[in-house]
Amino acid sequence: MFVLCLLAQFSFSAGKTSVVNLRVEKLESPIGIDATSPRFSWQITSDQRALLQTSYQILVAETAEKLAAEKDLTWNSGKREGGISVLIPYEGKPLESAKKYYWKVKVWTNKGEALSSAPAHWSTAFLNNSFSNNAYWIGIDSTMNSGKLTTKTRLSARYLRREFSLNSKIKNARLSISGLGMYECYINGKKISNDIFAPTATDYTKRVNYNVFDVKELLQNNKNTIGVILGNGRYFSMRMANIPGSEPLTVPAVQHYGYPKLLLQLDVEFDNGQRSTVVSDSKWKLTTKGPIIANNEFDGEEYDANLEMQGWNKNGFNDRSWITAKKVGAPEGTLVAQSNPNIKTMKQLKPVSVKQIEKGKYVIDMGQNMVGWMSVRLKGKKGQPVTLRFAETLQKDGNLYTANLRGSRSSDVYTPASNELFSWEPRFVYHGFRYAEVTGIDYLPKAEDFIGKVNYDEMADIGTFETSDTTINQIYRNARWGIMGNYRSMPTDCPQRDERMGWLGDRATGCYAESFMFDNQLFYEKWAQDIHDSQLATGSVPDVAPAYWQMYSDNITWPAAYIHVANMLYEQFGDERPIRLHYQSMKLWLSYMQSRYMKDYIMTKDQYGDWCMPPENLNIIFSKDPARITDGEILSTSFYYKLLNIMAKYAEITSNNNDKKEFLALAEKVKIAYNAKFFQKDKAQYGNNTVTANIVSLMQGLVPQESEKAVFANLSSRIEGEFKSHVSVGLIGIQFLMRGLTANGRPDLAYKIATNRTYPSWGYMIDNGATTIWELWNGNTADPAMNSGNHVMLLGDLLVWYYENLAGIQTDKTEVGFKKIVFKPTFPKGLKYVKASHKSPYGLITSELNKTGNNTSWKVIIPPNTTATVHVPVASFDMIKESGASLKSRPDIQLSSKESGTIALTIQSGEYRFEF
């Protein structure tokens, strides 16, 4: 017997409602936004149920006083009807360059309340203006040592400094800076921010980012000093990949852009109304003889404490031995204010053990495969290098396993200046590692002598997930660590070897899954721009972006991420701008592929196939069995068909109605041709009947409706029979597998695949020591050329399945960005509970299911200013109760629809607890 009970968390006698979390371009009080029409967002919190915003008013002023008085405003939107509170564009007077603005929002609700937010602020960047004409790029275009440039050139960090005086009381001060490849900036000896690896990496022939900081508190009303260290980063790269045995992949040299350089402008406003500007020019001094004697992302950082220059970034330092900084050529790319946050140290880890392997060699176990660097406190000997080497796994004898690092040295070296204790961490490198080997000291260090600094792009955690199944939980933790570790101002494939590239194929579905866990919208907006910047004039889109490897294979399945990323940003965060911004570029790419490679409506070009299909032999990377290899034309054509349908939606959003008709007409012709060529109706199969061929056809809408059940029965039968209910697809098929099985009535099979502990499975990785996700299903036995221990491409749609199917949290596809929420969980036999949450653009969403015997309780939290459809898995509305009473006595909970075995309810915001 089923019972439904609905309990309220809140007291409704006295409602408390607030307007909070004010954002401009998705950031809290950002400095240096270059949007001429920035967009405003806010959230509403309340202890009342069924609360909706009915209207709003945005006020913007040039001063806090004008805003408070609501006079002489830059923009008064007026009272506008509607419930939208996300990404509303500014429509006031033209904004001025490099200026601070203040704003607030008033909100009216359906409860008769009129609310006003606390004031917030933001500042503009240079907008249509550029840096001062007196500011120019400085540096020195030389290695400052003998020898020609090679792919193994070791380049020391550049140190630059400038002293200046400010003789009046400071009212405001802001610093605009770009240092390539990476910079650290100090004012009077203090670092201006906690950012690292700034600015975020781009294709520097297309786009160069600069950052803006408020530095008033760091300046003095007399002498001041700015000091900057320049690291190499992706600008001075000078590396070439070496990937033996990884056919069919051929990799070119890494793009190299030039020597490190600096562009800087400090603008100071005084209380008396006067202004002063300090810029990068010939007044700066430079040296390459500082303690950072080498830094390379793939090899590590070398630091010689004997070369330290005490006080180099403070007043009064003797820099007579330094040279005058030279004016150097500007990067080719357009200079823009960076809109996404920089990388920071986001977490810290302590080792779980330190062991002596042999005399003078010690191995630290962090207990977790992580990405970042090691901060150490050790005692060395003067002039004797202390070396830290990094690896993901160990050999049987306890030494580091480094074969999978390929050409990456992954080592940091510190040379002490005395026999005393020293504390040190690098600045311009990162490593993917669980283990670190220390040599150059003569004692067994303690675990507290080391701290693992976990570094990735600054973004909020917005998702939680937990179940009663320990395998699912560990996979989730492994996935989270893998995703964090591969956020490197672009979504990279791996963090440890000589690659670390933004492969598009890894993120077509991955970006969507990650959006439940991290507030990654600015990160992926930036990457979409990277893809756009890497597109050729012909329309060709690369496989890697930024295009540090010039890989234009004219594939479909990898570049499809360009269109899918825009779709994720629209559906998950309610942002149309990426669609509008990139629509013509995406259209150009599809047209290019059609004109070059489409024959009789079949897309004939595919580059990578169903990459990393689990091979029949644990010692090989790529399957040799023809029965496991999916026809590339099936992959490329099915993807092209799906992309045409997405582009038809984009055409409607952008009011390109003729385009919409053309996309849909072409899609229909592709579907007809596809089924004529690949579908064997009598066998209910596509091509040679791989699971991937069938699942991509089914999930991308190509299977004739009358054959859908037969095709699904065929593919599920093959999974259960030939593959014994294990993963039976590669990178392409895995993007559809878990949701495809569930949508077609086999969540039990999806659950079995998700919880397997034998090969091939995510659980197999765990049983073999993985704390992240491997590149290969057999990553513990395959060729070291491709066995990264920290990849995310094999996750496919698993994490989407966790949130959307197990927890049941989905956004409505029309009222996107979780303005309307769809709760539709699948609760496979074997699970006792699922608990998940997601901080959506409108607020916190929670879904918690607990099963005891035949009874299930389900707590749901719906944020204010949203609505939801809740799908309850019962056969009859009469089986549902609320607070012990029938739902018939609850007019605020309405029957939405009835399906086989499911009742859909329409409910408003608040907290509910169902029991059935």
Side-chain angles (χ1 to χ4, degrees), residues 202 321 535 660 692 805:
T202 58
S321 64
Q535 185 177 27
K660 179 181 178 180
T692 290
N805 294 109

Side-chain angles (χ1 to χ4, degrees), residues 87-106:
L87 302 173
I88 298 169
Y90 174 84
E91 296 174 358
K93 299 175 184 178
L95 299 174
E96 296 180 32
S97 182
K99 187 176 181 66
K100 190 173 185 178
Y101 290 90
Y102 299 82
W103 75 287
K104 65 182 178 181
V105 61
K106 295 181 178 180

Side-chain angles (χ1 to χ4, degrees), residues 288-545:
T288 61
K289 297 179 180 179
I292 302 177
I293 60 176
N295 64 98
N296 181 285
E297 178 178 345
F298 304 103
D299 292 337
E301 189 163 302
E302 297 181 41
Y303 188 95
D304 188 344
N306 297 284
L307 300 177
E308 287 181 341
M309 305 169 291
Q310 294 298 324
W312 73 272
N313 52 13
K314 297 180 180 179
N315 297 329
F317 177 76
N318 183 354
D319 59 12
R320 280 179 291 181
S321 64
W322 291 33
I323 65 172
T324 300
K326 308 297 183 183
K327 182 178 181 179
V328 296
E332 187 178 341
T334 301
L335 190 66
V336 296
Q338 182 177 309
S339 59
N340 58 301
N342 283 311
I343 296 173
K344 289 188 176 181
T345 295
M346 300 294 289
K347 302 179 187 294
Q348 296 188 11
L349 286 183
K350 295 181 179 180
V352 296
S353 69
V354 180
K355 295 180 180 179
Q356 178 172 306
I357 302 303
E358 57 187 67
K359 186 176 181 180
K361 183 189 290 186
Y362 314 96
V363 171
I364 305 108
D365 180 3
M366 301 304 297
Q368 171 66 53
N369 196 356
M370 56 163 283
V371 180
W373 61 53
M374 190 79 83
S375 175
V376 303
R377 186 174 183 272
L378 297 169
K379 185 175 183 180
K381 294 182 179 179
K382 178 177 172 58
Q384 178 174 299
V386 176
T387 300
L388 292 158
R389 297 173 61 230
F390 300 91
E392 295 181 302
T393 56
L394 299 177
Q395 301 180 58
K396 291 182 180 180
D397 63 3
N399 280 291
L400 301 186
Y401 173 79
T402 59
N404 69 328
L405 302 182
R406 300 195 305 225
S408 177
R409 288 174 53 199
S410 298
S411 301
D412 293 334
V413 180
Y414 179 93
T415 301
S418 70
N419 296 329
E420 305 301 319
L421 283 170
F422 67 87
S423 297
W424 178 78
E425 61 187 56
R427 286 180 170 88
F428 298 124
V429 301
Y430 68 89
H431 307 284
F433 68 100
R434 173 174 173 173
Y435 302 95
E437 174 198 273
V438 182
T439 57
I441 58 175
D442 57 7
Y443 67 97
L444 178 65
K446 298 178 181 179
E448 52 263 36
D449 296 332
F450 305 93
I451 300 174
K453 299 290 185 73
V454 181
N455 305 327
Y456 59 94
D457 293 71
E458 183 184 13
M459 63 182 72
D461 289 355
I462 60 172
T464 63
F465 184 85
E466 181 186 346
T467 75
S468 58
D469 189 277
T470 56
T471 300
I472 285 178
N473 295 344
Q474 184 61 54
I475 293 169
Y476 182 82
R477 287 191 291 269
N478 288 8
R480 176 177 282 276
W481 277 96
I483 292 164
M484 291 187 303
N486 281 292
Y487 279 170
R488 321 305 310 168
S489 81
M490 72 203 82
T492 59
D493 60 329
C494 62
Q496 74 296 94
R497 66 188 183 209
D498 55 355
E499 189 166 352
R500 312 182 192 198
M501 293 292 169
W503 284 98
L504 274 68
D506 297 10
R507 289 320 208 284
T509 299
C511 68
Y512 184 62
E514 296 159 18
S515 69
F516 282 99
M517 304 163 70
F518 298 98
D519 186 3
N520 60 13
Q521 51 188 322
L522 288 170
F523 177 83
Y524 273 106
E525 278 184 28
K526 183 266 183 188
W527 194 48
Q529 187 63 53
D530 288 333
I531 299 170
H532 174 273
D533 289 346
S534 300
Q535 185 177 27
L536 300 181
T538 60
S540 181
V541 172
D543 300 332
V544 172

